[in-house]
Amino acid sequence: MSISVRDQFGKHLAQLAQDDSKVLALDGDLGNSTRLDSIEKETVDSFLQMGIAEQNMVGVAAGLASIGSQPWVCSFATFLTKRALDQIVVSVAQTKFDVKLVGSYSGLLTSNTGKTHHSLDDIAIMTTIPNMTVIAPGDAGETVAAMNAMHKTGGPMYLRLTRDETIPLFLPDAEFEIGKGKTLTEGTDVLIVTTGSTTYRVAEAIKQLVDMSIAHQHFPTLKPFDKELLLEGARKVQLVVTVEEHYIRGGLGSIVSEILSEELPKRVYRIGVPDRFFGCGTDEELLEASGLSVEKIKKSIGALSSKYF
Amino acid sequence: MVQSIEQLKLTATVLRKRILSTAYYKKQGHVGGSLSCADILVSLFFHHLSIDPSNPKWEDRDRFVLSKGHTALGLYATLALRGYISEEELKTFDQYESRLQAHPDMTKLDALDMSTGSLGQGLSAAVGMAIGAKRLKKGFDVYCLIGDGESQEGQIWEAANIAGKYKLDNLIVIMDQNGLQQYGWKNDHGRMKPESNGKRKFDSFGFETWEVDGHCMEDLIDVLTEVKSIRNGRPKAIIANTTKGKGVHFMENNYVWHSKAPNDEEYILALTELEKRG
């Protein structure tokens, strides 16, 4: 039986809160979307409703952390990372408080809500903040493992989650270490690098690209980034391709390009959301329009192979 | 340490001199707002707060958040007088890698309960501390000093809203209502007051509110004593009417002194004026 990333997030945070009274959930009035409502249902008093006021919510979390709590602040990714950005920087990152920021509904898949709710710049924003760790798990199992690691490790962290309900438990092992990437398949033609919600769709596309030797690396931690694993994989191939449900600039593609340009100059091709706003639409329509459906990813990689090999 | 009213008044004068000498020595600092909250800081740190300078991280201490972080100068001078830091260290104010950063940095100085400097943020942290204290059944109070200019930030009222919702009667907000901000709006008399309805606004968010003369030590001690004795499920706000630049006549009520250090002549004039009082 499979469970969605957000359902698993709510369920597991309730578990963490039951096991550790220091764990608190702060909601920006979206608990029944983000699944933070599980904590209210399953714990006595670990759930704090902060209303529709993200700036204050982040500040309150800093104050709670200052006297020993571990607040998990959850809202839609775009509201959390942009409406409360200065609060995240000054009250949380500069103080190094043990505050966990959870951006649910990241990327384009936000239940038909349109451009106001899309979060396509949060990796760019959060990875540029000093002291901030940035994590984007690939499936529900890895979400649990990532949350356990976050719970055990102090300091400001951002957890980027997807609302995509179609991702099954597909990652081969649930091992998770902050700052470590994973090699999912080995190959010699091209290395495909992915993170978060995109890893599953790319793994599906790779299965269908049988006439290429494709290596696939998944990086659930974007900061600190597992440079060694990337370099090890990149050394074996001629071309590196990044795929992400994030703007094409500032996200995984930029991280990979920066590392390779300095350490191992190599052609990097980035697949991501183009530099424009998208309207509302079904998940399928948006993935198709942004080039991130399994079919479109397969075509893009196929086209690259005919160009380069 | 609990000083008598007479001692507190003397301490406030010494504090004003330290604020001025530090700003004069370093050629910078937010003098106007530091002088306006000097009496408030003295009433808290030398009479009211349950704190221990020899153990700044004492778990059960009252918390103090300077939300109007630009007046760090006033807070550092207070901490020096109270024995948290040496008088000598005040000379490192605003210096590269100093513990006394231009705006309070809790990662550098143990005596600080929160880092501030981007206006509007301190009250939210204080609300978090107060919620946390209630959850842990701790008896300490959380004091937060905000500015009237700062209260133009929406986050102040987001925080006030939550303080009311969570019935934080262990939270005491003090507004240093000095009537001026950095620049503000011009009017016929010079500059408009940033805020004149603070009491009514906090009332409407469910606070129990008081308005006092923020330069009258007797009144400050009275109101703080009363505030501490009440536990009625309502957060508290004290609107302290103050004068920006208080104590030095040519700095008073002049927005130019928001962030300006005295030159040689001004420094001597200011000290002479304070000497006469103290």
Side-chain angles (χ1 to χ4, degrees):
Chain A
M1 198 187 81
S2 218
I3 180 167
S4 75
V5 168
R6 64 172 169 158
D7 284 336
Q8 183 66 79
F9 159 71
K11 197 174 152 187
H12 193 60
L13 191 57
Q15 187 63 53
L16 289 175
Q18 271 167 357
D19 296 347
D20 179 359
S21 62
K22 280 195 278 189
V23 172
L24 300 177
L26 272 61
D27 182 25
D29 195 39
L30 294 168
N32 45 356
S33 289
T34 62
R35 301 297 189 253
L36 206 66
D37 56 357
S38 306
I39 293 85
E40 188 174 50
K41 288 172 191 154
E42 293 174 32
T43 69
V44 181
D45 66 347
S46 302
F47 179 88
L48 296 169
Q49 181 56 260
M50 288 291 121
I52 309 163
E54 296 78 12
Q55 302 181 25
N56 177 61
M57 174 160 67
V58 169
V60 168
L64 284 163
S66 83
I67 54 175
S69 294
Q70 185 185 73
W72 290 62
V73 179
C74 185
S75 183
F76 287 170
T78 192
F79 305 146
L80 183 61
T81 60
K82 293 203 283 288
R83 294 196 78 121
L85 177 56
D86 189 43
Q87 287 72 17
I88 290 171
V89 171
V90 174
S91 289
V92 174
Q94 290 181 359
T95 55
K96 303 181 195 165
F97 279 133
D98 189 15
V99 172
K100 309 309 183 195
L101 303 157
V102 184
S104 191
Y105 283 47
S106 68
L108 284 164
L109 307 191
T110 59
S111 183
N112 248 316
T113 46
K115 66 189 87 174
T116 53
H117 287 51
H118 294 161
S119 186
L120 297 162
D121 44 17
D122 52 323
I123 295 175
I125 291 166
M126 299 305 281
T127 55
T128 51
I129 301 173
N131 299 336
M132 186 64 66
T133 295
V134 179
I135 294 170
D139 68 8
E142 195 173 58
T143 301
V144 169
M147 289 170 73
N148 287 338
M150 290 169 74
H151 175 233
K152 280 191 208 120
T153 315
M157 297 188 187
Y158 176 62
L159 181 65
R160 184 182 208 246
L161 299 181
T162 179
R163 186 192 174 277
D164 190 350
E165 306 268 62
T166 65
I167 300 174
L169 291 168
F170 75 101
L171 288 168
D173 67 72
E175 291 294 303
F176 184 89
E177 193 182 331
I178 292 171
K180 291 290 175 204
K182 297 173 180 178
T183 301
L184 301 183
T185 61
E186 301 277 1
T188 51
D189 289 339
V190 55
L191 167 66
I192 306 188
V193 179
T194 61
T195 184
S197 58
T198 323
T199 298
Y200 171 65
R201 291 194 287 276
V202 168
E204 287 299 295
I206 291 171
K207 278 187 204 161
Q208 298 172 35
L209 288 161
V210 286
D211 49 355
M212 290 174 76
S213 174
I214 299 176
H216 182 190
Q217 289 181 341
H218 164 59
F219 289 86
T221 310
L222 291 148
K223 187 186 178 185
F225 196 81
D226 191 348
K227 193 161 102 172
E228 287 67 34
L229 185 76
L230 173 70
L231 291 172
E232 187 190 308
R235 265 184 212 106
K236 301 173 191 160
V237 298
Q238 300 171 53
L239 175 70
V240 175
V241 178
T242 63
V243 192
E244 62 194 308
E245 193 182 326
H246 184 276
Y247 279 136
I248 193 119
R249 283 201 301 266
L252 177 70
S254 293
I255 295 170
V256 168
S257 302
E258 283 166 17
I259 293 170
L260 293 181
S261 70
E262 285 183 354
E263 309 267 346
L264 187 69
K266 186 150 293 209
R267 191 173 294 275
V268 177
Y269 191 87
R270 296 167 297 144
I271 298 173
V273 180
D275 180 22
R276 70 174 178 87
F277 295 115
F278 282 75
C280 55
T282 63
D283 290 359
E284 293 73 25
E285 284 167 335
L286 289 167
L287 290 175
E288 200 61 24
S290 62
L292 291 171
S293 63
V294 173
E295 200 54 36
K296 282 278 174 73
I297 292 168
K298 198 176 77 183
K299 275 191 189 149
S300 296
I301 297 170
L304 281 169
S305 72
S306 58
K307 193 169 161 191
Y308 288 102
F309 306 109
Chain B
M1 181 191 283
V2 178
Q3 289 191 344
S4 69
I5 297 285
E6 286 317 306
Q7 287 171 320
L8 290 169
K9 288 179 182 173
L10 291 173
T11 304
T13 302
V14 178
L15 174 59
R16 289 195 160 87
K17 289 180 195 164
R18 291 293 180 283
I19 289 168
L20 289 168
S21 61
T22 306
Y24 171 69
Y25 180 78
K26 298 305 295 190
K27 305 275 175 258
Q28 50 198 326
H30 287 78
V31 169
S34 294
L35 291 174
S36 71
C37 66
D39 301 294
I40 299 166
L41 289 170
V42 167
S43 68
L44 289 170
F45 280 84
F46 289 86
H47 188 280
H48 193 69
L49 293 180
S50 184
I51 48 175
D52 178 4
S54 69
N55 183 13
K57 289 294 168 211
W58 172 37
E59 234 179 68
D60 294 326
R61 71 190 182 281
D62 284 338
R63 302 305 198 266
F64 176 76
V65 178
L66 182 70
S67 194
K68 42 174 283 178
H70 53 285
T71 57
L73 171 60
L75 178 58
Y76 297 148
T78 306
L79 294 175
L81 290 176
R82 189 68 173 84
Y84 281 94
I85 56 176
S86 69
E87 295 274 328
E88 196 56 29
E89 191 171 359
L90 269 185
K91 291 183 181 165
T92 71
F93 168 64
D94 219 358
Q95 203 161 287
Y96 180 68
E97 292 292 305
S98 160
R99 296 204 297 169
L100 311 184
Q101 291 287 296
H103 295 89
D105 182 346
M106 63 174 294
T107 66
K108 297 216 179 272
L109 186 64
D110 268 355
L112 303 171
D113 291 327
M114 184 62 198
S115 298
T116 52
S118 176
L119 291 177
Q121 297 195 24
L123 185 52
S124 297
V127 165
M129 292 173 192
I131 294 175
K134 291 233 172 230
R135 285 182 51 81
L136 297 173
K137 304 202 173 5
K138 295 273 189 188
F140 64 78
D141 288 322
V142 183
Y143 293 81
C144 183
L145 183 59
I146 65 172
D148 49 356
E150 176 182 19
S151 299
Q152 284 157 9
E153 292 281 6
Q155 192 184 349
I156 290 287
W157 306 105
E158 292 183 3
N161 189 37
I162 292 298
K165 286 252 184 329
Y166 281 84
K167 304 186 189 319
L168 301 178
D169 51 15
N170 54 349
L171 174 74
I172 299 99
V173 180
I174 304 171
M175 186 192 282
D176 176 17
Q177 188 164 263
N178 63 29
L180 285 172
Q181 57 196 110
Q182 171 162 336
Y183 190 53
W185 292 266
K186 196 160 72 174
N187 67 9
D188 294 343
H189 315 285
R191 298 275 141 179
M192 263 169 71
K193 285 182 189 304
E195 179 61 68
S196 32
N197 289 313
K199 188 170 186 297
R200 200 154 58 83
K201 285 178 183 165
F202 276 108
D203 262 331
S204 75
F205 283 99
F207 281 60
E208 180 116 26
T209 56
W210 290 264
E211 191 153 2
V212 298
D213 176 347
H215 298 307
C216 175
M217 201 55 80
E218 289 86 349
D219 287 3
L220 283 169
I221 296 303
D222 281 351
V223 76
L224 287 168
T225 308
E226 187 187 346
V227 154
K228 198 166 179 65
S229 69
I230 301 173
R231 278 278 192 259
N232 60 359
R234 294 174 69 186
K236 298 142 187 173
I238 301 168
I239 311 301
N241 290 309
T242 58
T243 300
K244 198 152 181 166
K246 178 70 180 179
V248 181
H249 75 279
F250 59 88
M251 293 180 180
E252 289 183 0
N253 293 313
N254 185 350
Y255 78 95
V256 170
W257 285 95
H258 173 82
S259 174
K260 179 172 144 75
N263 61 26
D264 295 356
E265 192 188 341
E266 289 162 339
Y267 181 55
I268 290 163
L269 271 175
L271 276 194
T272 311
E273 188 176 342
L274 287 168
E275 286 296 344
K276 274 185 204 153
R277 289 179 187 218

